[in-house]
Amino acid sequence: MMDSRVKFRHLHTFLEVARQKSVVKAAELLHVSQPAVTKTIRELEEALGVAVFEREGRGIRITRYGEVFLRHAGAAITALRQGLDSVSQELSDAAPPVRVGALPTVSTRIMPRAMTLFLQEETGSRIKIVTGENAVLLEQLRVGDLDLVVGRLAAPEKMTGFSFEHLYSEQVVFTVRPGHPLLATGGSVFETLEQYPVLMPTRGSVIRPYVEQLLIANGVGRLPLQVETVSHAFGRAFTRSSDAVWIISQGVISDDLAEGLLSALPVDTSETKGPVGLTLKADIPPSAPQAMLMQTIRQAAEEIVPRG
């Protein structure tokens, strides 16, 4: 039986602290004082009988009990928002909104075609598309800020409470400007890679471990001129104007490669191939507009991504 002391403000505050991993940042976003956030969390912990956060250095981290509660709190907030959206729909005769998160590679390669197909259906739904790193998008999905994520399959421990539908597989490429010295060399790219600036995916990105394993397997232990970035605008501009080597998901620069604006180095990156697909909360069925968008994403992926 639900403890009557647990209110909406407890759930809302808990989710914001869990997302920000900071009481101070959560207080700023909730427009309340830091003591008010602390007091609300303490009230929640008293009602639950367990601690949901604990100190870690100068910050905080969620406890094992907090992780369990997070799955259900996120689902509760999502269900409440869907209820509010349904009432708004009845009042305004508009379809409920669809909030989708997409990796940058998906945003540039799949989503434009998917949105064209979706808008042709004239559902009347408002669409919100958020682009970011896989881990960030999954966290937003978990707490109810997104309805759907189109991205890479995360590690098993990160997929608890989610369902995943595979659409296609994608690997990284080592890309450079046309005329780059490495395109003319007859030896291994890895032998001289450390001589050039290398743009790497950030440590929090889902493809970073694949890239690191590939480099280690090929004898590259250190990159003295390494730059970590998630900015594709910077990566594209810097690579085209310098001797940098950009290690990036193929889908991000597929058009650049096709148009000859960038060139792929002869590196076997098949070991970095990973599944890309649709991730949803396993316990919440999609609305009709969400299901329609999922179908257009499937169709766009089938049209755009080469088979094999």
Side-chain angles (χ1 to χ4, degrees):
M1 182 175 180
M2 179 177 174
D3 194 311
S4 60
R5 291 175 294 173
V6 178
K7 309 296 184 183
F8 175 80
R9 65 181 176 86
H10 294 110
L11 300 181
H12 192 202
T13 302
F14 167 74
L15 291 174
E16 200 59 60
V17 174
R19 179 166 46 206
Q20 301 299 327
K21 297 181 177 59
S22 167
V23 171
V24 175
K25 291 181 180 179
E28 293 176 354
L29 292 171
L30 293 170
H31 303 291
V32 298
S33 67
Q34 181 179 341
V37 171
T38 301
K39 180 174 182 293
T40 300
I41 294 299
R42 286 177 179 171
E43 291 174 353
L44 175 63
E45 291 178 331
E46 290 177 1
L48 295 176
V50 294
V52 292
F53 296 107
E54 60 186 10
R55 291 192 175 278
E56 183 179 50
R58 294 184 177 181
I60 61 172
R61 70 179 183 89
I62 195 167
T63 66
R64 177 167 60 90
Y65 297 108
E67 289 281 4
V68 173
F69 187 67
L70 177 62
R71 296 197 295 270
H72 299 286
I77 292 294
T78 299
L80 179 58
R81 285 174 174 167
Q82 288 181 340
L84 294 173
D85 289 338
S86 297
V87 173
S88 298
Q89 176 186 355
E90 292 296 324
L91 292 173
S92 62
D93 194 28
V98 180
R99 303 162 301 169
V100 56
L103 285 179
T105 174
V106 175
S107 292
T108 58
R109 195 178 192 188
I110 304 299
M111 290 307 296
R113 175 57 177 162
M115 284 306 305
T116 297
L117 295 171
F118 181 78
L119 293 175
Q120 290 175 355
E121 298 296 331
E122 298 181 349
T123 65
S125 293
R126 291 175 287 118
I127 307 296
K128 177 182 179 181
I129 299 177
V130 177
T131 299
E133 292 186 350
N134 213 66
V136 175
L137 297 178
L138 290 180
E139 183 65 21
Q140 291 178 326
L141 177 63
R142 189 180 300 279
V143 302
D145 288 343
L146 294 174
D147 304 306
L148 166 70
V149 168
V150 194
R152 280 251 191 167
L153 175 62
E157 64 271 16
K158 301 294 185 180
M159 292 299 293
T160 304
F162 293 143
S163 64
F164 181 82
E165 177 187 337
H166 178 261
L167 294 176
Y168 60 92
S169 294
E170 186 173 65
Q171 62 197 61
V172 304
V173 291
F174 286 54
T175 186
V176 294
R177 63 172 176 80
H180 192 284
L182 285 175
L183 292 170
T185 182
S188 169
V189 168
F190 297 105
E191 293 178 355
T192 56
L193 185 62
E194 65 180 18
Q195 299 177 15
Y196 300 94
V198 178
L199 303 188
M200 287 277 287
T202 59
R203 297 186 184 278
S205 66
V206 71
I207 64 173
R208 177 63 179 251
Y210 296 95
V211 173
E212 290 181 334
Q213 291 170 12
L214 177 65
L215 293 174
I216 293 172
N218 286 275
V220 180
R222 179 173 175 269
L223 293 171
L225 302 177
Q226 180 183 147
V227 178
E228 295 186 8
T229 182
V230 295
S231 171
H232 297 147
F234 167 75
R236 185 172 284 107
F238 187 62
T239 303
R240 290 174 59 182
S241 62
S242 71
D243 282 342
V245 178
W246 188 15
I247 306 177
I248 189 65
S249 293
Q250 186 174 11
V252 173
I253 43 82
S254 57
D255 289 342
D256 299 83
L257 295 175
E259 296 171 9
L261 300 176
L262 293 172
S263 300
L265 291 174
V267 176
D268 181 6
T269 59
S270 57
E271 295 181 6
T272 67
K273 182 176 289 187
V276 177
L278 303 168
T279 301
L280 301 92
K281 283 191 174 182
D283 55 350
I284 300 178
S287 65
Q290 291 168 19
M292 177 61 68
L293 179 58
M294 290 167 60
Q295 182 56 38
T296 63
I297 292 172
R298 295 186 190 103
Q299 183 177 340
E302 290 177 0
E303 293 180 6
I304 294 171
V305 181
R307 293 302 175 183

PDB file of all heavy atoms in Angstrom, residues 270-283:
ATOM      1  N   SER A 270      35.390  -3.035 -38.065  1.00  0.00           N
ATOM      2  CA  SER A 270      34.230  -3.922 -37.926  1.00  0.00           C
ATOM      3  C   SER A 270      33.991  -4.336 -36.475  1.00  0.00           C
ATOM      4  O   SER A 270      32.855  -4.637 -36.090  1.00  0.00           O
ATOM      5  CB  SER A 270      34.410  -5.170 -38.801  1.00  0.00           C
ATOM      6  OG  SER A 270      35.617  -5.853 -38.473  1.00  0.00           O
ATOM      7  N   GLU A 271      35.066  -4.329 -35.652  1.00  0.00           N
ATOM      8  CA  GLU A 271      34.914  -4.693 -34.243  1.00  0.00           C
ATOM      9  C   GLU A 271      34.111  -3.659 -33.461  1.00  0.00           C
ATOM     10  O   GLU A 271      33.660  -3.940 -32.351  1.00  0.00           O
ATOM     11  CB  GLU A 271      36.288  -4.878 -33.603  1.00  0.00           C
ATOM     12  CG  GLU A 271      37.091  -6.041 -34.165  1.00  0.00           C
ATOM     13  CD  GLU A 271      38.435  -6.185 -33.480  1.00  0.00           C
ATOM     14  OE1 GLU A 271      38.669  -5.443 -32.500  1.00  0.00           O
ATOM     15  OE2 GLU A 271      39.243  -7.021 -33.910  1.00  0.00           O
ATOM     16  N   THR A 272      33.963  -2.467 -34.006  1.00  0.00           N
ATOM     17  CA  THR A 272      33.224  -1.417 -33.301  1.00  0.00           C
ATOM     18  C   THR A 272      31.742  -1.414 -33.656  1.00  0.00           C
ATOM     19  O   THR A 272      30.991  -0.569 -33.171  1.00  0.00           O
ATOM     20  CB  THR A 272      33.806  -0.025 -33.624  1.00  0.00           C
ATOM     21  OG1 THR A 272      33.563   0.279 -35.016  1.00  0.00           O
ATOM     22  CG2 THR A 272      35.294   0.019 -33.363  1.00  0.00           C
ATOM     23  N   LYS A 273      31.335  -2.333 -34.513  1.00  0.00           N
ATOM     24  CA  LYS A 273      29.938  -2.347 -34.956  1.00  0.00           C
ATOM     25  C   LYS A 273      29.016  -2.681 -33.780  1.00  0.00           C
ATOM     26  O   LYS A 273      29.261  -3.603 -33.013  1.00  0.00           O
ATOM     27  CB  LYS A 273      29.754  -3.369 -36.079  1.00  0.00           C
ATOM     28  CG  LYS A 273      28.333  -3.400 -36.635  1.00  0.00           C
ATOM     29  CD  LYS A 273      28.227  -4.356 -37.821  1.00  0.00           C
ATOM     30  CE  LYS A 273      28.943  -3.794 -39.033  1.00  0.00           C
ATOM     31  NZ  LYS A 273      28.714  -4.629 -40.238  1.00  0.00           N
ATOM     32  N   GLY A 274      27.956  -1.909 -33.646  1.00  0.00           N
ATOM     33  CA  GLY A 274      27.010  -2.131 -32.566  1.00  0.00           C
ATOM     34  C   GLY A 274      25.593  -1.839 -33.014  1.00  0.00           C
ATOM     35  O   GLY A 274      25.367  -1.078 -33.959  1.00  0.00           O
ATOM     36  N   PRO A 275      24.592  -2.434 -32.343  1.00  0.00           N
ATOM     37  CA  PRO A 275      23.193  -2.265 -32.728  1.00  0.00           C
ATOM     38  C   PRO A 275      22.637  -0.897 -32.381  1.00  0.00           C
ATOM     39  O   PRO A 275      22.900  -0.356 -31.306  1.00  0.00           O
ATOM     40  CB  PRO A 275      22.469  -3.363 -31.938  1.00  0.00           C
ATOM     41  CG  PRO A 275      23.349  -3.630 -30.765  1.00  0.00           C
ATOM     42  CD  PRO A 275      24.753  -3.375 -31.226  1.00  0.00           C
ATOM     43  N   VAL A 276      21.869  -0.342 -33.303  1.00  0.00           N
ATOM     44  CA  VAL A 276      21.128   0.907 -33.097  1.00  0.00           C
ATOM     45  C   VAL A 276      19.647   0.571 -33.201  1.00  0.00           C
ATOM     46  O   VAL A 276      19.241  -0.186 -34.093  1.00  0.00           O
ATOM     47  CB  VAL A 276      21.504   1.964 -34.155  1.00  0.00           C
ATOM     48  CG1 VAL A 276      20.664   3.230 -33.976  1.00  0.00           C
ATOM     49  CG2 VAL A 276      22.988   2.288 -34.083  1.00  0.00           C
ATOM     50  N   GLY A 277      18.860   1.112 -32.298  1.00  0.00           N
ATOM     51  CA  GLY A 277      17.441   0.766 -32.348  1.00  0.00           C
ATOM     52  C   GLY A 277      16.573   1.642 -31.470  1.00  0.00           C
ATOM     53  O   GLY A 277      16.998   2.703 -30.991  1.00  0.00           O
ATOM     54  N   LEU A 278      15.355   1.172 -31.243  1.00  0.00           N
ATOM     55  CA  LEU A 278      14.344   1.896 -30.469  1.00  0.00           C
ATOM     56  C   LEU A 278      14.348   1.392 -29.030  1.00  0.00           C
ATOM     57  O   LEU A 278      14.235   0.193 -28.788  1.00  0.00           O
ATOM     58  CB  LEU A 278      12.955   1.670 -31.072  1.00  0.00           C
ATOM     59  CG  LEU A 278      12.784   2.048 -32.548  1.00  0.00           C
ATOM     60  CD1 LEU A 278      11.471   1.487 -33.075  1.00  0.00           C
ATOM     61  CD2 LEU A 278      12.835   3.548 -32.728  1.00  0.00           C
ATOM     62  N   THR A 279      14.466   2.309 -28.084  1.00  0.00           N
ATOM     63  CA  THR A 279      14.414   1.967 -26.665  1.00  0.00           C
ATOM     64  C   THR A 279      13.215   2.648 -26.026  1.00  0.00           C
ATOM     65  O   THR A 279      13.024   3.860 -26.186  1.00  0.00           O
ATOM     66  CB  THR A 279      15.700   2.397 -25.935  1.00  0.00           C
ATOM     67  OG1 THR A 279      16.824   1.747 -26.534  1.00  0.00           O
ATOM     68  CG2 THR A 279      15.641   2.015 -24.469  1.00  0.00           C
ATOM     69  N   LEU A 280      12.415   1.859 -25.327  1.00  0.00           N
ATOM     70  CA  LEU A 280      11.239   2.371 -24.625  1.00  0.00           C
ATOM     71  C   LEU A 280      11.200   1.796 -23.218  1.00  0.00           C
ATOM     72  O   LEU A 280      11.906   0.833 -22.911  1.00  0.00           O
ATOM     73  CB  LEU A 280       9.937   1.990 -25.338  1.00  0.00           C
ATOM     74  CG  LEU A 280       9.697   2.436 -26.768  1.00  0.00           C
ATOM     75  CD1 LEU A 280      10.171   1.365 -27.735  1.00  0.00           C
ATOM     76  CD2 LEU A 280       8.213   2.720 -26.978  1.00  0.00           C
ATOM     77  N   LYS A 281      10.359   2.384 -22.373  1.00  0.00           N
ATOM     78  CA  LYS A 281      10.111   1.793 -21.070  1.00  0.00           C
ATOM     79  C   LYS A 281       9.293   0.527 -21.264  1.00  0.00           C
ATOM     80  O   LYS A 281       8.272   0.528 -21.964  1.00  0.00           O
ATOM     81  CB  LYS A 281       9.373   2.766 -20.161  1.00  0.00           C
ATOM     82  CG  LYS A 281      10.263   3.852 -19.590  1.00  0.00           C
ATOM     83  CD  LYS A 281       9.549   4.617 -18.502  1.00  0.00           C
ATOM     84  CE  LYS A 281      10.493   5.592 -17.829  1.00  0.00           C
ATOM     85  NZ  LYS A 281       9.817   6.327 -16.727  1.00  0.00           N
ATOM     86  N   ALA A 282       9.730  -0.548 -20.630  1.00  0.00           N
ATOM     87  CA  ALA A 282       9.092  -1.839 -20.844  1.00  0.00           C
ATOM     88  C   ALA A 282       7.687  -1.907 -20.264  1.00  0.00           C
ATOM     89  O   ALA A 282       6.853  -2.684 -20.740  1.00  0.00           O
ATOM     90  CB  ALA A 282       9.958  -2.944 -20.237  1.00  0.00           C
ATOM     91  N   ASP A 283       7.402  -1.088 -19.256  1.00  0.00           N
ATOM     92  CA  ASP A 283       6.117  -1.198 -18.559  1.00  0.00           C
ATOM     93  C   ASP A 283       5.083  -0.172 -19.011  1.00  0.00           C
ATOM     94  O   ASP A 283       3.993  -0.096 -18.447  1.00  0.00           O
ATOM     95  CB  ASP A 283       6.325  -1.073 -17.048  1.00  0.00           C
ATOM     96  CG  ASP A 283       7.057   0.217 -16.666  1.00  0.00           C
ATOM     97  OD1 ASP A 283       7.562   0.888 -17.580  1.00  0.00           O
ATOM     98  OD2 ASP A 283       7.123   0.531 -15.472  1.00  0.00           O
TER      99      ASP A 283
END
